[in-house]
Structures are given as structure tokens and as C-alpha cells.
Amino acid sequence: MSLEPESQKWKLPEDLGFPISAENILRRRQALKRELLKQANLLRTRIAILGGSTTAEIKSMLELFLLAQGIQPTFYESAYNAYFEEAVFENSDLSAFKPEIVLVHTTWQNVVRFPEVLEPEAEVAQLIRGEMDRFKMIWEKIHAGLGAVVIQNNFDFPSLRPLGNLEASALFSRLRFLQSLNAEFAGYASDHSWLLINDIMYLSAQVGLSEWFDFNYWYNYHMAVSPLAAVAVGRNVASIVKSIYGKSKKCLVLDLDNTLWGGVIGDDGLQNLILGRDHPVGEAFSNFQRYVKDLQRRGVLLAVCSKNDLENAKEGFSHPDIVLKLEDFSAFKANWKPKHENIREIASDLNIGLDSIVFVDDNPAERAFVSAQLPEVAVPNVGSDVSLFAQILEHEGYFEPIIVASDDLNRTAYYNLNSQRDADQARFQNHGEFLASLEMNANIGPFVPIYLERITQLINKSNQFNLTTRRFTGAEVEAVSRDPRYVTLYGRLRDKFGDNGIVSVIIGSVREAALEIDLWLMSCRVLKREMEFAMFDALVEECLERGIRTITGVYIPSKKNNMVAEHYPSLGFSRVPDTSDDRTLWQYQIVQPYHAKTQYIRRNLQETSLAAST
Amino acid sequence: MDNLLPQIESIFRDVFDNSRLNVTPETTARDVPGWDSLTNVNLIFAMEREFKIKFALGEIQELNNVGEMVLLIQKKMERAAK
């Protein structure tokens, strides 16, 4: 296995990332395996599959999904349906193979005898004991003789119901029998840490019985589960195996705005956050918090990584409907630094590897940047719909546990250390490369009627990137847009991930051959992307068209807008001495030829007020 | 016959991981190295999904070559279209 040079770093084939297409995986199985084998540093393991039916497809899928986890298996396969004999009787081949893991692939069809109709309770109990004795013999023989971990299928739902709905209640039904066996299996696994259950009852429900079992594949090939089901089984068992080898992730790093609650705390304020049962989206966020809390309760470390002032970020946790509390987090990074730096610190603070971290953020640009800078960190594509976040996390099986020990429950501690750490070689050499990769383009122009509502909304809710925090009513915005003594600009930003919508607004008034900026605000979601430059370039253009060479701006500090204290000087404005102590005044002289400050945002042709559409 | 063969060839190329494999109506299992029971299962599955048909029990065993498979699939697709 050769080590790939940095620039050609091996990447997991797309077919194996969420959402997977079982059809594609089955069809391209050989090419995928070939690709997966190119990885360096694969962990070797020996797995014996003892089958109660044809196991070829199970083995094939298990191999693929294990390789996707960085594990290369060597397999032993029992003779057809010889799972009992090969486990319990003298078996020199199996012993010589020295498996580390034994998968017992049985299904409901391997039950020796189901109860007859109306068979009395005592005899049903006897049948259950008989089956349990059989399986215990298998497990104990493997454990004593081979010392291997046993992964045992529980029983799937049969697709036919001879008793109709009575299967669910009749004491002698097949379904109740299987449910009792599953409960017994669960009890045994709970008492013996070397036995792990492969929950095919859950899988059969999730895949759906009409896809799980295919009569043709059973009769022609004695496959107890369809090829599609084999994909699900392979993936599930691979997830268990990877956790046996300690490859489960340890820490979930979470963004805050629009990831744990709806809205942006810094701009919207605590009372406007969308969280809680009164709102469908709010309920979805509460449920996601609950899911995350359940993970934390059983030992997963949580951390916050948010672009917010620390006070604002913490304030969100005093929302009445908040589920997660500040003390649930082992690290809490809320600042304006790039997220990958914060995540590096989190790894260092918690003394865990970057490869133990899963990063969840609704913003695709943040995901892309962290993923590029920190390839070891798992960054699932969770999209931006909170109702899918938990499903996507589960699908990847990041936090598959093998055991929940009381030690795990004490892992969470809340602390916030600063630590220096050497930076790794960055994937993007500088911020500029990253900005270029976003393929940004913007529409910037005077207010048009169709955007007035959105513009008014932004004016009244933006608090952080807001130079003056002046509010305008809808009527005032409309009046200003029609008044030639005002210069108005809206900015709408698109990038390769989609349309960010209108994210910036400027209003200026013309006073004696100078333009005074009355209002300049921007959505924090697009910070550090040069949108400020693009807006300024457009403003300069407007001024030049009107023969104006001087621009003045005022910064009125508020509790929330500290981030823009140095905004004007960063654009090249000079301080104008002023006696008032509650504001700062700035001035800019346009020098021609004017060199645009923007490098990475392309200006689109102007939308006319007729052509403008949402 | 001709309009299904390219799709079938594509399926064969994927399943056997051989971009140069040529499939004709006369092709049989003996002609393709690596054609075992697992690749057989994956071929059948891929065809059922690609053409949105289901083979009935016993139908596959009666096929002698790819040409007969194409005819069978065509018949099923016509029946489904009615």
C-alpha cells in the first residue's frame, strides 16, 4: 500500500457516502473494492462468517464497508447452513484461521421449530429454551475455543403472517416467538460483553419487508435476505466492527445558529430564536438537541464551535425551550476566528485526535472549509434541514458504541482553555484560495420595489454588523428609495453552494457634495467573504456617477456591534476629530483611477426593476 | 434486441469491472472470466433494477445466452407497458 502524496490524497468514493444507493454499490462492487484497496495503513482483521443461509453477498458487502472504514478483512466462510456444526463440533479449519470476530448470520428461517397453533404456553416456553440452548452452545464454544468476539444476528420480521394480526398477540404465534427469542438474545448480550447483537429486526423494518426478503433470491440462491438487504447488513456489521477496533468517534462539534436553534442569536436576539414546540421548525431543533443530549448522556463529548461573540452564544442557552445546557459541553468556542483553528484547539483541549471529531454545521461554506483544512475531521453533509440532521449522523454510524460503561458517563467536563498548537500544512494556502473556490457573484444596486420588504426586515433585525443601528420603517425605506437625495444599495450574494439572498444594505444621504453613510449593515453569515468590499466598490461607483468624491461614515457603538468598530479604517477611511464621545467619524477621499477592492466576487449585470425577481 | 444490448453491456462492464468487455447475443457464462454465482446474483439484480422488471421463479435457469435474456426482458417490458 503506497502512501499518496498530499496533493492526491485518497478520498472515499462518492458512492459510499450519504446518501448511499444500494443499487450502485451492488453493481459497481468490484470497482469500488479496487478503489478502496488503494488506501494506506489499512488495519487487518480476520472474520469468520458462520451462515444459516447463503452468505456470499453478506461477505462481499461487509468487505466493502469495512474497507470504507479503513479495515481490511480476511474471511472464513462456513459451509452452506453449517453455522451450528462448524461452531460446536471439532473444526480444525476454523481454529487454524484464528478469527478475531465471528459473525453468526442466522435469520428467522433458522429457527428449528416454531410453536403449533394453540400450543400451550409451557410448551412454547420449552421451545424457546431449546433454541436458546442451541445458540448458547454456539456462543460459548466460540468464546472458549477461539476467544473471538461474537456478532450474532437477532431475528428479523418474517414477511408472511399466517395468523394475520394475531401474530402480534397470540402466545403461539411465530412473531411472538421471535420477539421472545430476541429478548433472550438481548439479555445474554447484556450480560456478556463479548457478544454483540447485529439488530436485523431493526434493519428489516428500516429497509422494509418487501425489500428485505425476496422470494426469488431465496428459492434460486437460498439468500435469506435480498441483495439490497445484504447492503444494509454489511454496513451495519461494519459499523459494529469498526467500533470494536476503537474507530468510533468521540466528540461532536456543533455550530449554533441554524444548527441547534433557528435564527442567528447575534442578530435576532434571544426572544426571536426558533426553538420549542410552538413552531414546527422549533420542534425539530428541540428534538435535535434532545438527540444530541442522548448522545452526550452515554459518553459522547460535545463541543460548540460558533461564529458569535461569546456572550451572545451563551445567551442562547437561557432560552426557555433550550434542551442542551452549557455544562453539557466539554469545550465552547464562540469567536470570529476560522472554525478549523477552533476545532484544532478543541482537539488539543480535550486531548483527542482530530480523527475522533465529527463537525456538524448547516453552512456548506463552513463545512467545505473545515473539511479542506482538517481532512481527518468527519464533516458529514448534513444539508440545512434540521429535521434530517440526526438521521444523517446515524446513517454514518459515527458514534456506534460497543458498551456504555459508567466511566463514559463522567467524561464530560466544562472548561475553556487556550492552547497554542502548531498548525498542520493547510489545504488552502491562504484565505484567498478558499474565497476563489466559492465562485461568488453578487447583484448590487439601488433598492428595487420587490426587495423593499426584505431590505426593511434586514434593517430592523441586524445588530452585529451594523454601523449605526438606525432603524427605518417600511414606509421610510420606500421613501428613501425614491428620493434622489439618497443613495441606496442592496447586495445579494450567490456562491457555488447556492443563493444567500440579500445580505447587505447601505443607505447614504447626499450632503453638500459629500455622501454621508446613514446605514451600513450585513448578515454575519457572509462575513470575511469580501462582501463589504463589493458593496464599497459599488458605493464608490455610485458616488463617481454623481460627481461625489468624499464619503463620510459614522460608527455608533452599541452592545452588539463591536465587530465593526474598525470597519471604516479597514477600508482606508481616516478618522475625523469629533468632540462627541459616543461615536467615531470617518472620511474617505475617492482617488481616481479607483482600484476596486474586491478580488473574489464577480458583479452581475444589473437587474432592472422590471426584471428583478426573487 | 439492439436497443437493450448497450444497456446490458454497461451492466456487465460494471459488474465485472471491465470497461472493455464486449457483450453479444451469443455471450454465455463460459465466455466471461469471473462469472460465478455472486456475479450472477448481481447481474440479475442490476437488470431487474435497470429495466424495472422481476424475473419469475425458474425463468433465469432456462436462459442459455445473453440474447435469450434480452428477449425475455423485452417481453416483460412490453407486458408491463400494456
Side-chain angles (χ1 to χ4, degrees), chain A residues 22-23 26-32 34 56-57 60-61 211 214-217 219-221 223 226-228, chain B residues 7 10-11 14-17 37-42 44-46 48-50 54-58 60-61:
Chain A
E23 290 170 29
L26 286 164
R27 181 161 160 166
R28 300 190 51 241
R29 170 179 70 95
Q30 306 225 42
L32 286 171
R34 197 168 31 86
E57 194 78 84
S60 161
M61 290 298 108
E211 295 279 14
D214 187 316
F215 285 94
N216 279 339
Y217 290 92
Y219 289 121
N220 283 326
Y221 307 104
M223 290 171 63
S226 70
L228 212 69
Chain B
Q7 275 168 284
S10 168
I11 290 174
D14 282 343
V15 171
F16 288 98
D17 192 23
S37 56
L38 185 60
T39 47
N40 207 49
V41 166
N42 288 333
I44 306 280
F45 185 84
E48 288 185 331
R49 294 283 152 151
E50 175 88 5
K54 287 282 307 165
F55 291 108
L57 197 57
I60 300 166
Q61 285 76 347

Side-chain angles (χ1 to χ4, degrees), chain A residues 379-419:
Chain A
V379 185
N381 176 4
V382 295
S384 54
D385 181 350
V386 60
S387 66
L388 298 176
F389 290 172
Q391 261 170 269
I392 292 170
L393 278 179
E394 283 217 346
H395 182 279
E396 298 297 318
Y398 294 121
F399 299 110
E400 179 77 36
I402 330 176
I403 189 168
V404 178
S406 56
D407 295 353
D408 294 336
L409 304 181
N410 293 325
R411 269 203 239 151
T412 295
Y414 177 76
Y415 53 97
N416 197 348
L417 304 172
N418 275 329
S419 59

Side-chain angles (χ1 to χ4, degrees), chain A residues 134-159:
Chain A
R134 231 167 43 86
F135 278 95
K136 280 191 209 166
M137 244 192 278
I138 293 170
W139 302 332
E140 281 154 20
K141 198 74 206 308
I142 294 172
H143 179 64
L146 300 167
V149 170
V150 180
I151 299 179
Q152 170 68 54
N153 286 1
N154 59 6
F155 294 104
D156 45 341
F157 283 102
S159 53

Side-chain angles (χ1 to χ4, degrees), chain A residues 226-240:
Chain A
S226 70
L228 212 69
V231 174
V233 170
R235 199 171 93 234
N236 201 50
V237 174
S239 191
I240 297 172

Side-chain angles (χ1 to χ4, degrees), chain A residues 52 190 195 218 235 245 291 335 408 413 435 454 459 507 515 546-547 550 561 563 567 593 601:
Chain A
S190 195
L195 184 81
W218 169 252
R235 199 171 93 234
Y245 286 103
Y291 183 81
N335 53 51
D408 294 336
L435 291 181
R454 167 67 182 152
I459 288 175
I507 295 178
L515 183 81
R546 293 168 187 240
T550 306
N561 71 357
M563 64 164 30
H567 172 70
I601 301 182

Side-chain angles (χ1 to χ4, degrees), chain A residues 103 143 162 247 278 317 389 429 466 614:
Chain A
L103 169 64
H143 179 64
K247 281 174 174 269
D278 294 336
F317 288 88
F389 290 172
Q429 292 306 322
N466 191 334
T614 41

